[in-house]
């Protein structure tokens, strides 16, 4: 079921730019969908409620932006810088925050988020402060033997979209392998009961810390993609509001469901894009829809679709066996 749903999602993403008139929305769905997927590794599979995931998104954004602007123009170097710096940041933040559990863990992540935003605002000689990091170039994709492919999103939105889609596809397959591995099973055991998982020999602290690092690295990749797309790094990448948006997308799509965060990101961004045309109060409407989803469909849209699929296939098998 998981592999088939993943392949279905990728098929939808392949045809998305051809059926969606807004190339901007299509690219944003890829970026924010991957960001929500990275958060789902913490909340959905490990059971860690974090309010500081924007820290890693912002770290990846700024690291890639500074590398591309100051250190060089190599695309792969920028991607590596964003992933590595975000993963290192997650390793440090996770080491501190995982010393507490429950609400204390959540409050520590929120505190780190506020600290990161304050530092981003104050260190304007590095980050650009409230104006953000401006003038980040988008280098071409150089493929040995095939030449270079321009990726500037304004002039070549299709090229940039399918470049991002390739990165997203690799990330999704790697996360699927991770979730299916003994490491992933251990995370889910900790989510269900940390005390029992310790009793059977799991190093809960070590597994949660590694999940934090992997999640941070994926968030850094999403931040790098966002920097390449925008051509600058907004300070809001580090804000608490960004963390709240990531959380909302994950819950809308369904936490603990591999493709759920992408469904949630697509729904949230589509509603925002549509409602913002008619009213400035679109956050109020989206918030009301979010409340309705939580009350009526607590497993999220992805979880609801999975339950419907299981019901239909189970009923079909029952009818086939009775026949």
């Amino acid at each position: 079921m998981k592999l088939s749903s993943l392949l279905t999602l990728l098929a939808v993403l392949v045809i998305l730019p051809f059926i969606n008139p807004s190339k901007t929305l299509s690219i944003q769905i890829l970026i924010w969908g991957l960001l929500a997927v990275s958060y789902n590794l913490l909340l959905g599979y490990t059971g860690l409620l974090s309010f500081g995931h924007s820290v890693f998104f912002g770290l990846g954004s700024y690291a890639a932006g500074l590398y591309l602007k100051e250190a060089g123009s190599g695309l792969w170097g920028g991607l590596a810088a964003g992933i590595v710096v975000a993963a290192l940041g997650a390793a440090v933040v996770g080491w501190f925050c995982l010393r507490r559990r429950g609400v204390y863990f959540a409050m520590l992540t929120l505190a780190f988020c506020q600290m990161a935003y304050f530092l981003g605002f104050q260190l304007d000689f590095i980050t650009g402060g409230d104006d953000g990091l401006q003038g980040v170039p988008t280098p071409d994709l150089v493929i040995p033997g095939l030449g270079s492919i321009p990726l500037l999103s304004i002039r070549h939105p299709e090229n940039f979209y399918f470049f991002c889609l390739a990165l997203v596809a690799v990330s999704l397959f790697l996360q699927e392998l991770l979730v299916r591995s003994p490491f992933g099973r251990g995370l889910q055991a900790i989510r269900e009961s940390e005390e029992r998982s310790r009793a059977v020999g799991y190093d809960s602290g070590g597994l949660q810390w590694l999940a934090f690092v992997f999640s941070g690295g994926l968030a850094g990749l999403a931040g790098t993609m966002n920097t390449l797309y925008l051509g600058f790094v907004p300070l809001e990448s580090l804000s608490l509001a960004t963390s709240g948006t990531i959380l909302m997308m994950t819950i809308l799509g369904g936490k603990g469901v591999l493709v759920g965060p992408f469904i949630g990101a697509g729904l949230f961004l589509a509603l925002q894009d549509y409602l913002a045309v008619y009213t400035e109060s679109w956050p109020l409407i989206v918030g009301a829809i979010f409340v309705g989803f939580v009350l009526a469909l607590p497993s999220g849209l992805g979880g609801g679709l999975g339950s419907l699929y299981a019901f239909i296939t189970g009923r079909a098998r029952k009818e086939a066996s009775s026949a």
Side-chain angles (χ1 to χ4, degrees), residues 159-267:
N159 291 356
F160 188 79
Y161 178 87
F162 284 103
F163 168 71
C164 290
L165 179 58
L167 296 178
V168 166
V170 171
S171 301
L172 286 174
F173 277 113
L174 288 177
Q175 181 158 320
E176 170 69 1
L177 291 175
L178 186 69
V179 169
R180 288 173 175 263
S181 69
F183 172 77
R185 302 298 183 190
L187 292 180
Q188 294 172 65
I190 294 169
R191 177 193 63 192
E192 298 302 322
S193 175
E194 186 171 355
E195 291 184 0
R196 291 180 182 179
S197 64
R198 285 179 177 176
V200 297
Y202 283 114
D203 178 11
S204 62
L207 290 177
Q208 288 174 325
W209 181 78
L210 285 175
F212 225 92
V213 174
F214 290 142
S215 177
L218 276 181
L221 175 58
T224 302
M225 289 162 52
N226 196 51
T227 298
L228 293 170
Y229 166 61
L230 295 176
F232 76 101
V233 182
L235 180 62
E236 287 71 23
S237 300
L238 293 167
S239 69
L240 181 60
T242 299
S243 289
T245 300
I246 302 167
L247 174 61
M248 186 178 294
M249 288 176 174
T250 305
I251 294 177
L252 277 175
K255 60 185 180 69
V257 181
L258 184 66
V259 301
F262 254 99
I263 298 174
L267 176 62

Side-chain angles (χ1 to χ4, degrees), residues 265-289:
L267 176 62
F268 181 93
L269 292 171
L271 285 171
Q272 174 184 312
D273 192 65
Y274 177 78
L275 294 173
V277 176
Y278 298 99
T279 175
E280 295 182 355
S281 302
W282 65 265
L284 178 64
I285 301 174
V286 173
I289 293 173

Side-chain angles (χ1 to χ4, degrees), residues 291-317:
V291 171
F293 261 94
V294 171
L295 294 177
L297 203 63
S299 60
L301 189 56
L305 291 174
S307 300
L308 179 62
Y309 175 83
F311 173 77
I312 293 174
T313 54
R315 186 172 181 179
R317 291 194 195 99

Side-chain angles (χ1 to χ4, degrees), residues 38-119:
S38 72
Y39 184 69
N40 191 40
L41 185 60
L42 285 183
L43 180 64
Y45 292 103
T46 315
L48 295 174
L49 175 62
S50 169
F51 292 112
H53 208 64
S54 62
V55 173
F56 318 126
F57 180 62
L59 282 176
S61 299
Y62 278 109
L66 288 169
Y67 176 89
L68 293 171
K69 186 177 179 180
E70 306 294 343
S73 58
L75 176 64
W76 300 112
L79 286 172
I83 295 171
V84 171
V85 170
L88 289 175
V92 174
V93 173
W95 187 83
F96 282 102
C97 295
L98 287 171
R99 295 178 174 275
R100 293 293 180 266
R101 294 292 186 270
V103 67
Y104 301 105
F105 168 84
M107 290 301 100
L108 282 173
T109 60
L110 187 150
F112 271 102
C113 183
Q114 295 292 71
M115 289 166 57
Y117 184 83
F118 177 79
L119 288 173

